Amino acid sequence: MLVSALPRAVRTELTKLRTLRSSWLVLGLTVLAGIGLGVLSARSTAHAWAGMPAADRAALDPVGSSFDGLDYAELGFGALGVLAMTGEYATGMVRVSLLAVPGRWVFVIAKALVVGGLGALVGEVCAFGSFLAVQHTLGPTGRAVQLGDPHVLRAVSAAGLYLAIVALVGLGIGAAVRHTGPAVVALVAVVFLAWPAARAVEGISTLPSKLLLANAVDALVTVVPVTGPQAARVPGPGLAWGVLVGYAVAALAIAGWRAGRDT
């Protein structure tokens, strides 16, 4: 019964998200910011290339630098997840939604499939668009790469999937907090502000730093090895994927628990 009800629940969630104009506005502005800011950063690099020290030239990661603008895009994707859930709590429609499906997990999984699926689709568009635009901008430096080069396709795909993970994290936070403003603040704390807290305990262990979303994605979207103090904070690829999956699972668990309190 639960499996047979899922397609109908997914169609319902698609309709909800499609009619939520703020979600499309957020995504549109996010993609523009993600690609545009990445290109602006690359233009600055290309402009300064002739006078750049040899060490800085060698340290340039043409793939990782393609995603400089995604530091801002991830906030938009997280806000998409927040809005998808807090909108229902704000209007009281969440109770109707839960009554319309045979169990809270159908509701949560359907919403996660829609938010995560849209996040992955638009995230990949943003990641590939940013990569292609930045490589074109870096052309005069001679450091531009192509998708067929080693590890490049993996890195670009991972960047798009990361944005989908952030959207699911926003969904879980939205379910837990229920109100858009505080939920966005909590999202910023999880995605951005956890970094100084993890840095504060690095004298004891660097594990908290390795469990941060920002450091996990750094391990997956770069092709030039990270050096210096940051290298100790970046997890290996296996742990990095585990961190991303762990955040997604935790977000769904929180959403399911919170929805269960409304049944």
Side-chain angles (χ1 to χ4, degrees), residues 120-141:
L121 176 62
V122 181
E124 295 296 353
V125 170
C126 189
F128 277 89
S130 182
F131 170 80
L132 294 173
V134 166
Q135 297 315 305
H136 175 75
T137 306
L138 290 177
T141 69

Side-chain angles (χ1 to χ4, degrees), residues 75-99:
L75 181 58
F77 278 78
L80 171 70
V82 167
L83 289 170
M85 188 63 82
T86 57
E88 294 219 38
Y89 282 107
T91 61
M93 283 297 295
V94 65
R95 295 185 181 276
V96 177
S97 297
L98 290 170
L99 288 174

Side-chain angles (χ1 to χ4, degrees), residues 7 27-28 36 39 61 72 76 89 98 137 148 161 185 213 218 251 262:
L27 282 178
V39 170
D61 186 333
Y72 301 90
Y89 282 107
L98 290 170
T137 306
L161 290 175
V185 171
L213 278 170
D218 279 349
D262 294 303

Side-chain angles (χ1 to χ4, degrees), residues 5 13 18 27 37 48 56 62 77 89 105 127 130 138 148 155 220 254 258-259 262:
E13 294 302 327
R18 188 169 60 246
L27 282 178
L37 292 173
D56 291 343
F77 278 78
Y89 282 107
W105 283 110
S130 182
L138 290 177
L220 299 174
I254 291 170
R258 193 56 159 157
D262 294 303

Side-chain angles (χ1 to χ4, degrees), residues 160-176:
L161 290 175
Y162 169 70
L163 294 175
I165 296 294
V166 175
L168 291 177
V169 171
L171 184 75
I173 292 175

Side-chain angles (χ1 to χ4, degrees), residues 139-238:
T141 69
R143 292 296 305 277
V145 296
Q146 298 180 344
L147 284 171
D149 292 338
H151 310 299
V152 173
L153 182 60
R154 177 266 300 167
V156 179
S157 300
L161 290 175
Y162 169 70
L163 294 175
I165 296 294
V166 175
L168 291 177
V169 171
L171 184 75
I173 292 175
V177 179
R178 300 190 178 193
H179 300 285
T180 302
V184 171
V185 171
L187 174 71
V188 171
V190 170
V191 177
F192 297 103
L193 300 185
W195 185 76
R199 285 286 303 273
V201 299
E202 282 184 356
I204 302 173
S205 173
T206 58
L207 181 60
S209 290
K210 292 180 178 180
L211 298 180
L212 297 179
L213 278 170
N215 288 337
V217 73
D218 279 349
L220 299 174
V221 303
T222 54
V223 296
V224 175
V226 179
T227 59
Q230 182 65 9
R233 305 179 183 116
V234 176

